[in-house]
Amino acid sequence: MSKANENNDLLDIDNDNWLEDDTNLSTTPKAMTAQAYIPPDDFVIEPEVPSAPQQLPGQSSDSPHISNNFDGGVLSVNHYRRYFNLNTTEFLQNCAQALNFVSTKTDSVEEIGDLYGPIWVTATVIFILFFSNTCSGLLVSWVQGGDSTYKYNFDLLTGAISLLYGYTFLIPTIFYFITVWYLKLTGLFPLSRLISIYGYANIAWVPAAILSILRGFLVNHTILSSALKWISVLFGGVISCASILVKVFPVTRHSCVVVDKEKLAIVLCAALLVAHVGLIIAVKVSFFGDLSVV
Amino acid sequence: MSKKWKPVAVNPDEADDFELEPDTIEPDVETPVQPQQKASSTQAQQQSQGQGGSSSFFNFSNFVSPNIDLSQSFNPLLKNEQVREHAFTGGDTLDEPVWKTLERDFKAIGQRLLSVMWPASLSKLAKIQQHNLLIAARNSGINVGINFDQLGQDLEQDIANTPLDDSDLKKLAWDLWGPLLFTLVFAVILGLMSPEANSSEVFSGVFAIVWSTLAVIAVNIQLLGGTISFFNALSTTGYAMFPLLLLAITSIFIKWSFIRFILYVILVAWSVYAATVNLKVHGVLPGRVFLAIYPVGLVYATLGWLCVIT
């Protein structure tokens, strides 16, 4: 029995003249036998679910029922479905919004965001960084000729995983705890939304990593190769940084202005900026050689 | 017990008005109701113990076989669970030869493999399942980002024109034999191809990575909703790994990385397509198929890439 039907049964019983009403004759005896006797006054009527439309004619009745509420404890899978409650178009919109760092359009602050983006966009970046690194390595051994086989570095993969996931989840968490618990600011994003913003911002590294595959062809030109590396690293780093700050700064500033500490917002966002510069340096060192300019 | 004693006449319905009568006012007229009631209650007990009496004051059989629909009271517990009934496929399997049992299992595995090798054979079933899921999503108010009215009509016509046969539904069962076999062979090949020094390391690493990533994918599919179960997702994505196995086998013989790369692109695309059709059949919500399949593609691409670069 679907939830909508259940509610209807309860509502029918609640009807004032339910004893006289002929239409309820089929439902009331069942209700009486199925549960202990409760006087009709004590019935607690749940509000009818507005989102469940009536069954339309012509549709099969044996379609599976899928629950759309996220109740259940912290240990149940259903609890976390609220963070994965998005569809394909919303996901692509989120990705586009992350790359579009000049837009002033903002969603409401209360939205919880989603964790699908942080997890899988970051996974994509890790894969493509690994892919571009090994691919350019293959290209190098191909351009240089000979049958010197390229040996891939498995540590690169684990390094990328800990670096990017660590950054995407740790920095927002630290920021959240400092602002909400230590400084006691209000009106900020929920933690999941912050992580969501950081995760989607990682998408800027994808074109950067793809661009850097070309460096395999430039193995004999030191200057061009190093220029390409710097360009791709700065491209990814700057765009993701802008995408994060454009979304976080206005909200932080607003909640700081409320308590008359406008400078605090600048300090907080400067701290985020410093952390991001740290990420850029770490990516440059671990995936694009060292920090030398030429 | 003395004959003078009589039980107090108490009507349980009027329990509020119950008062102890003083001992001095003892009714001297015997009320005929009490012994009768007593007798009938003992009779009822005897009856229910003996033959499960049907009509009496105290009907014990109500407790033995209660006339209550228990499925209603389990509803709060099962609210988040999908209870799927499984078609009973075999006959009496108790006294059949072992070979017959094995044959049936191998046939089931082969059929699942066939649906990976030729995913188009499932496309009709996928269409129907997606249609059902679309209706389910609409009824429970899940936003899948699809306009419901557009899709309904032509799909229903399609389904009416080409009815489903039973053999298609058998493909909906799952097992983990295929994934186990594929991951073992895959890890052995990669281990043998890597340098002698760390071949055992590569074997164990690849085996663990494949299973853990498949588990992560299955959890992801669970989180996205739908009617697919965890192990069903594990089985589906594991079976769809078969083209990657072919890639690993061919990479033993082909050393030129450029041809390996071309094979890589083709076979990974094949794997992803097979996984898409199979996941659609097994119950991923229509508007979220891409979200479910994207991590699968990512993992297949990584595993295939390992074959290319070793």
Side-chain angles (χ1 to χ4, degrees):
Chain A
M1 187 188 278
S2 74
K3 187 151 191 168
N5 286 343
E6 232 173 77
N7 282 337
N8 283 342
D9 281 358
L10 290 177
L11 285 175
D12 284 343
I13 294 164
D14 185 48
N15 199 355
D16 276 343
N17 47 1
W18 59 280
L19 274 178
E20 288 83 25
D21 199 348
D22 281 345
T23 54
N24 285 330
L25 279 180
S26 60
T27 56
T28 38
K30 198 178 76 192
M32 301 287 274
T33 51
Q35 30 191 281
Y37 177 67
I38 304 166
D41 307 350
D42 290 349
F43 265 109
V44 180
I45 304 301
E46 293 170 23
E48 196 176 3
V49 184
S51 55
Q54 296 294 312
Q55 278 230 338
L56 296 180
Q59 71 192 30
S60 57
S61 57
D62 58 350
S63 63
H65 176 250
I66 304 163
S67 74
N68 192 28
N69 49 4
F70 306 117
D71 49 7
V74 188
L75 291 178
S76 73
V77 174
N78 203 36
H79 180 82
Y80 297 97
R81 289 212 170 114
R82 75 189 73 194
Y83 300 118
F84 289 78
N85 187 23
L86 79 168
N87 56 47
T88 309
T89 40
E90 284 167 2
F91 173 69
L92 296 178
Q93 272 169 8
N94 286 345
C95 290
Q97 214 182 337
L99 280 175
N100 181 8
F101 55 88
V102 287
S103 89
T104 52
K105 172 182 167 286
T106 47
D107 296 335
S108 74
V109 175
E110 285 85 29
E111 264 185 45
I112 60 167
D114 63 273
L115 292 185
Y116 182 91
I119 290 174
W120 294 113
V121 168
T122 311
T124 313
V125 172
I126 289 164
F127 167 71
I128 292 185
L129 277 178
F130 180 66
F131 177 83
S132 74
N133 231 281
T134 50
C135 203
S136 59
L138 275 182
L139 279 175
V140 165
S141 67
W142 184 58
V143 167
Q144 282 179 335
D147 36 30
S148 62
T149 48
Y150 171 72
K151 290 199 177 52
Y152 67 95
N153 189 358
F154 210 75
D155 291 341
L156 212 60
L157 199 59
T158 49
I161 289 172
S162 34
L163 178 64
L164 282 166
Y165 275 120
Y167 180 75
T168 307
F169 284 88
L170 270 185
I171 298 293
T173 313
I174 292 169
F175 181 77
Y176 181 81
F177 282 129
I178 286 178
T179 50
V180 174
W181 285 18
Y182 183 68
L183 298 172
K184 297 194 169 54
L185 299 176
T186 51
L188 282 164
F189 291 127
L191 178 57
S192 57
R193 178 79 185 283
L194 267 180
I195 293 176
S196 183
I197 288 170
Y198 263 75
Y200 278 109
N202 278 336
I203 206 167
W205 292 104
V206 174
I210 291 174
L211 193 69
S212 72
I213 294 177
L214 294 176
R215 75 175 189 264
F217 290 110
L218 301 174
V219 67
N220 295 325
H221 310 274
T222 330
I223 296 171
L224 276 182
S225 164
S226 118
L228 184 70
K229 283 177 188 174
W230 272 110
I231 286 170
S232 33
V233 167
L234 287 179
F235 178 81
V238 168
I239 288 184
S240 58
C241 186
S243 150
I244 292 167
L245 287 184
V246 155
K247 290 177 184 65
V248 173
F249 183 64
V251 176
T252 316
R253 208 187 67 151
H254 182 259
S255 61
C256 286
V257 163
V258 168
V259 291
D260 266 346
K261 291 180 194 163
E262 199 173 348
K263 276 182 188 167
L264 187 65
I266 297 168
V267 172
L268 284 171
C269 288
L272 289 186
L273 188 68
V274 168
H276 203 86
V277 170
L279 174 76
I280 294 174
I281 291 170
V283 168
K284 176 74 175 91
V285 169
S286 48
F287 296 101
F288 300 92
D290 47 15
L291 280 175
S292 60
V293 179
V294 175
Chain B
M1 196 184 288
S2 71
K3 278 205 169 182
K4 275 185 186 172
W5 182 85
K6 283 166 214 77
V8 188
V10 179
N11 190 355
D13 290 340
E14 295 161 358
D16 288 346
D17 307 325
F18 183 80
E19 274 179 2
L20 268 183
E21 288 175 13
D23 282 347
T24 47
I25 313 173
E26 214 175 332
D28 41 2
V29 184
E30 232 184 47
T31 45
V33 185
Q34 294 308 316
Q36 213 181 3
Q37 210 175 46
K38 209 170 147 190
S40 75
S41 74
T42 50
Q43 195 193 356
Q45 267 181 359
Q46 280 166 1
Q47 241 181 27
S48 62
Q49 277 161 9
Q51 48 185 326
S54 53
S55 63
S56 56
F57 165 71
F58 184 66
N59 197 346
F60 210 50
S61 71
N62 272 341
F63 292 90
V64 178
S65 59
N67 190 19
I68 297 171
D69 191 7
L70 273 182
S71 64
Q72 289 300 312
S73 45
F74 279 128
N75 255 355
L77 295 177
L78 296 175
K79 209 177 341 180
N80 308 324
E81 304 297 327
Q82 293 299 322
V83 181
R84 297 184 72 192
E85 285 184 22
H86 206 287
F88 178 59
T89 48
D92 186 6
T93 59
L94 198 59
D95 50 358
E96 72 178 9
V98 176
W99 172 242
K100 216 168 188 181
T101 315
L102 284 178
E103 193 190 5
R104 202 178 44 242
D105 289 349
F106 279 125
K107 259 186 189 166
I109 292 173
Q111 223 168 20
R112 242 152 270 149
L113 199 57
L114 203 70
S115 71
V116 170
M117 299 289 290
W118 189 243
S121 67
L122 282 179
S123 58
K124 192 176 72 186
L125 193 60
K127 225 180 205 176
I128 293 170
Q129 291 282 68
Q130 291 291 290
H131 182 57
N132 280 340
L133 283 165
L134 199 60
I135 291 165
R138 175 174 61 179
N139 285 348
S140 49
I142 297 174
N143 175 26
V144 290
I146 289 176
N147 189 7
F148 299 114
D149 306 326
Q150 265 181 358
L151 279 161
Q153 321 284 289
D154 14 323
L155 268 173
E156 264 167 29
Q157 277 204 339
D158 263 12
I159 294 161
N161 289 342
T162 50
L164 214 68
D165 61 338
D166 268 357
S167 64
D168 285 341
L169 291 173
K170 276 181 191 164
K171 291 169 191 161
L172 291 180
W174 57 267
D175 67 76
L176 295 179
W177 285 112
L180 176 66
L181 200 70
F182 298 163
T183 38
L184 271 177
V185 174
F186 189 80
V188 163
I189 290 173
L190 279 189
L192 287 179
M193 285 197 326
S194 61
E196 289 272 323
N198 57 356
S199 65
S200 66
E201 211 173 283
V202 168
F203 167 78
S204 53
V206 168
F207 189 76
I209 282 176
V210 171
W211 275 106
S212 50
T213 48
L214 285 185
V216 168
I217 284 171
V219 168
N220 177 55
I221 289 171
Q222 278 290 294
L223 286 167
L224 286 172
T227 59
I228 192 166
S229 72
F230 174 79
F231 283 111
N232 205 335
L234 206 59
S235 158
T236 309
T237 46
Y239 267 105
M241 244 182 65
F242 183 68
L244 293 183
L245 192 65
L246 294 184
L247 180 65
I249 291 169
T250 50
S251 66
I252 296 175
F253 306 108
I254 299 169
K255 296 289 172 204
W256 203 23
S257 2
F258 187 64
I259 293 183
R260 272 192 191 181
F261 186 76
I262 291 170
L263 275 175
Y264 163 74
V265 171
I266 294 170
L267 288 172
V268 166
W270 182 7
S271 271
V272 170
Y273 176 59
T276 311
V277 175
N278 275 285
L279 283 178
K280 272 183 182 173
V281 165
H282 285 93
V284 172
L285 287 174
R288 303 182 181 184
V289 172
F290 171 76
L291 297 182
I293 208 69
Y294 177 69
V296 178
L298 210 59
V299 168
Y300 288 169
T302 313
L303 293 178
W305 189 240
L306 285 182
C307 292
V308 174
I309 59 178
T310 30

